[in-house]
């Protein structure tokens, strides 16, 4: 039978399956979250939609698929079919591709592929710390972050992009850190580290405080004082807001809060011992002086005054205190110790000599004993031999007499 191609017309409704609504081309999610993608198709009934993980060339389990039939066309047997895919349990950094396929007895139609990427919001692994220092020092701020995609790190100062140190080429970028060399007063401020990727941002800030003061001369590294006198150790410094001065002796802090610290009428802090008093007092220009009264041998040592801002050490001055007259006393004590040691050594000599005598006498006694015993044995043997000889001689004489008588 011949087909009249002239009179052929294209119907408005085709029984072939056709994708009406494609899932998104790209989806991003965070680890542990659930994702959902939708696909709608139309075609002659019965119509079915299948989901395929194209990155692994496998069909998705039906437990993840939600199918819904929307409507049937009134003028044909075509139907509109919708399907949703729900997935969870993704790991950070994972990447997968999915596609929906609409099928019926007339053919199949494929949707655009959907790429799923699992991201992680940036997490700071190293935060910048507050820094305080004097002019001319070198500051360092640390900042490191993890996440997916790998986050980028940017720095701002006082919520702006202006860095005085950068314009003067004193700002340097390192691995997970920035460095500011030869700091100036204008470098003071808040430095913020911001880590950012497609999933989000994370940030942390730290304060840089720069001071332009320090201990003023004269700087005495050695201080001599007589026994019983009063001496003052000076740490002249124009103390600024947020700073304080603390004293230590031989590495031990003086005027701790848990010690007996009292304030007198003139605003001094005093720490009293048995026969001495340490007084911390205000001096000119806000300086701190340590006064030691009734100096004795125990006051000698290494004293340090430290200029601090919070817990940050800005400067330190060391003063070695030598108490005059303690060396001769020490020599006397050493002489007494030496005499006592000599006396002890002499008192132990008799017992030592007796021990040496006994040890030397033992072999002498043994040798003497052996000699005496040997002499006694030899003497007895000689006497016995003599008696035997006399007996033989007597017998020989008796024999000769008998012979003569015959």
């Amino acid at each position: 039978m011949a087909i009249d191609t002239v009179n052929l017309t294209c119907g408005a409704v085709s029984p072939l399956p056709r994708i009406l609504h494609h899932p998104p081309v790209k989806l991003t999610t965070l680890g542990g979250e659930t994702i959902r993608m939708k696909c709608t198709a139309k075609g002659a009934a019965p119509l079915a939609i299948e989901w395929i993980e194209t990155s692994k060339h496998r069909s998705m389990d039906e437990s993840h698929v939600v199918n819904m039939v929307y409507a049937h066309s009134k003028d044909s047997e075509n139907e509109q079919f919708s399907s949703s895919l729900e997935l969870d349990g993704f790991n950070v950094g994972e990447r997968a591709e999915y596609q929906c396929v609409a099928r019926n007895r007339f053919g199949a139609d494929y949707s655009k592929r959907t790429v799923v990427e699992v991201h992680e919001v940036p997490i700071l692994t190293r935060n910048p710390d507050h820094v305080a220092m004097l002019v001319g020092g070198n500051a360092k701020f640390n900042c490191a972050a993890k996440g997916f995609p790998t986050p980028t790190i940017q720095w701002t100062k006082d919520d702006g992009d202006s860095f005085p140190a950068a314009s003067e080429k004193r700002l340097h970028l390192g691995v997970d850190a920035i460095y500011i060399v030869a700091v100036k007063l204008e470098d003071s401020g808040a430095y913020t580290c911001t880590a950012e990727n497609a999933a989000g941002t994370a940030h942390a800030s730290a304060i840089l405080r720069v001071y332009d003061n320090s201990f003023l001369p004269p700087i005495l590294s050695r201080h001599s004082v007589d026994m019983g006198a009063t001496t003052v150790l000076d740490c002249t410094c124009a103390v600024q807001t947020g700073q304080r001065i603390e004293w230590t002796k031989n590495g031990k802090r003086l005027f701790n809060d848990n010690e007996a610290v009292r304030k007198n009428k003139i605003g001094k802090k005093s720490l009293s011992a048995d026969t001495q008093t340490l007084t911390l007092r205000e001096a000119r220009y806000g300086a701190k002086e340590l006064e030691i009264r009734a100096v004795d041998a125990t006051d000698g040592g290494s004293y340090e005054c430290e200029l601090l801002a919070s817990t940050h050490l800005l400067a330190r001055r060391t003063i070695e205190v030598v108490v005059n007259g303690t060396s001769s006393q020490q020599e006397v004590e050493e002489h007494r110790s030496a005499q006592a040691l000599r006396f002890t050594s002499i008192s132990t000599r008799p017992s030592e000599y007796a021990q040496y005598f006994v040890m030397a006498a033992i072999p002498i006694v043994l040798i003497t004993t052996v000699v005496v015993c040997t002499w006694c044995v030899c003497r007895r043997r000689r006497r016995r031999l003599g008696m035997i000889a006399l007996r033989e001689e007597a017998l020989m004489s008796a024999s000769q007499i008998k012979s003569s008588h015959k």
Side-chain angles (χ1 to χ4, degrees):
M1 178 181 178
I3 299 177
D4 186 3
T5 57
V6 177
N7 296 321
L8 286 177
T9 59
C10 180
V13 179
S14 171
L16 291 172
R18 181 165 55 94
I19 302 295
L20 300 179
H21 177 78
H22 294 263
V25 176
K26 185 176 182 179
L27 280 177
T28 58
T29 184
L30 300 178
E33 292 187 351
T34 300
I35 64 169
R36 183 171 183 172
M37 59 191 81
K38 183 178 179 181
C39 180
T40 302
K42 186 176 182 180
L47 183 65
I49 291 181
E50 177 187 8
W51 288 94
I52 301 174
E53 186 177 359
T54 57
S55 55
K56 295 184 179 180
H57 305 287
R58 65 177 183 178
S59 297
M60 298 304 300
D61 191 293
E62 292 183 358
S63 61
H64 300 291
V65 179
V66 180
N67 293 321
M68 295 169 286
V69 177
Y70 274 91
H72 289 275
S73 177
K74 296 181 180 179
D75 56 354
S76 68
E77 296 181 355
N78 286 359
E79 65 179 356
Q80 183 173 314
F81 196 85
S82 180
S83 177
S84 296
L85 179 66
E86 293 182 353
L87 298 171
D88 57 13
F90 288 99
N91 297 319
V92 173
E94 188 174 349
R95 187 179 186 277
E97 293 184 357
Y98 300 91
Q99 187 178 37
C100 76
V101 182
R103 302 180 188 273
N104 64 9
R105 65 181 185 274
F106 296 102
D109 192 17
Y110 294 81
S111 71
K112 298 177 182 178
R113 294 187 178 185
T114 300
V115 177
V116 176
E117 291 184 351
V118 185
H119 291 178
E120 181 184 31
V121 175
I123 300 174
L124 294 179
T125 56
R126 296 184 66 184
N127 292 332
D129 296 320
H130 300 307
V131 178
M133 61 179 50
L134 299 179
V135 169
N138 299 326
K140 177 184 178 181
F141 291 105
N142 295 310
C143 184
K146 67 175 184 178
F148 188 83
T150 302
T152 59
I153 293 180
Q154 294 182 342
W155 287 90
T156 58
K157 179 181 181 293
D158 297 328
D159 297 327
D161 298 329
S162 176
F163 289 88
S167 59
E168 299 175 5
K169 297 183 179 180
R170 294 185 293 106
L171 179 67
H172 304 280
L173 296 178
V175 179
D176 298 334
I178 61 170
Y179 301 87
I180 304 174
V181 299
V183 297
K184 299 181 179 180
L185 290 176
E186 54 265 30
D187 294 324
S188 299
Y191 289 78
T192 302
C193 156
T194 301
E196 182 177 6
N197 66 7
T201 60
H203 58 84
S205 298
I207 304 297
L208 172 61
R209 289 176 292 169
V210 182
Y211 299 94
D212 60 353
N213 65 326
S214 186
F215 297 120
L216 302 178
I219 300 176
L220 299 177
S221 59
R222 187 177 178 87
H223 193 82
S224 297
V225 60
D226 295 330
M227 292 279 289
T230 296
T231 186
V232 176
L233 307 183
D234 185 13
C235 269
T236 303
C237 178
V239 179
Q240 298 179 0
T241 303
Q243 294 180 338
R244 69 182 188 280
I245 290 180
E246 291 186 357
W247 284 87
T248 62
K249 176 188 176 185
N250 297 330
K252 183 179 179 181
R253 181 182 173 189
L254 301 175
F255 304 101
N256 285 327
D257 293 336
N258 58 352
E259 294 183 10
V261 177
R262 56 183 175 81
K263 287 187 176 181
N264 56 25
K265 294 181 180 179
I266 57 176
K268 300 177 182 178
K269 286 185 177 180
S270 298
L271 175 61
S272 297
D274 295 337
T275 60
Q276 64 187 31
T277 300
L278 301 179
T279 302
L280 183 65
R281 64 187 185 183
E282 297 288 342
R284 60 190 182 281
Y285 310 117
K288 300 290 184 180
E289 292 180 342
L290 182 64
E291 180 183 82
I292 308 175
R293 302 176 185 174
V295 172
D296 62 21
T298 61
D299 292 320
S302 178
Y303 290 79
E304 290 183 340
C305 54
E306 298 177 339
L307 178 62
L308 301 169
S310 183
T311 59
H312 303 279
L313 176 63
L314 303 178
R316 177 188 287 126
R317 173 178 291 179
T318 301
I319 304 174
E320 197 72 26
V321 174
V322 179
V323 181
N324 298 327
T326 57
S327 58
S328 58
Q329 182 68 23
Q330 184 177 0
E331 292 176 358
V332 172
E333 294 296 331
E334 291 178 354
H335 178 71
R336 290 178 180 176
S337 300
Q339 291 292 338
L341 180 61
R342 182 170 177 270
F343 175 78
T344 302
S345 300
I346 294 175
S347 65
T348 58
R349 285 179 183 176
S351 61
E352 293 178 357
Y353 290 156
Q355 182 180 1
Y356 295 149
F357 176 77
V358 171
M359 294 178 64
I362 289 176
I364 296 175
V365 172
L366 291 176
I367 294 173
T368 304
T369 303
V370 171
V371 172
V372 171
C373 291
T374 304
W375 180 79
C376 292
V377 171
C378 292
R379 184 179 180 186
R380 290 179 61 183
R381 186 175 181 182
R382 289 177 61 185
R383 290 180 61 185
R384 186 176 179 182
L385 292 175
M387 292 179 66
I388 294 173
L390 290 174
R391 187 180 297 176
E392 290 179 351
E393 184 178 356
L395 290 175
M396 291 179 64
S397 298
S399 299
Q400 292 177 359
I401 293 172
K402 289 181 180 181
S403 301
S404 62
H405 285 288
K406 289 180 178 182

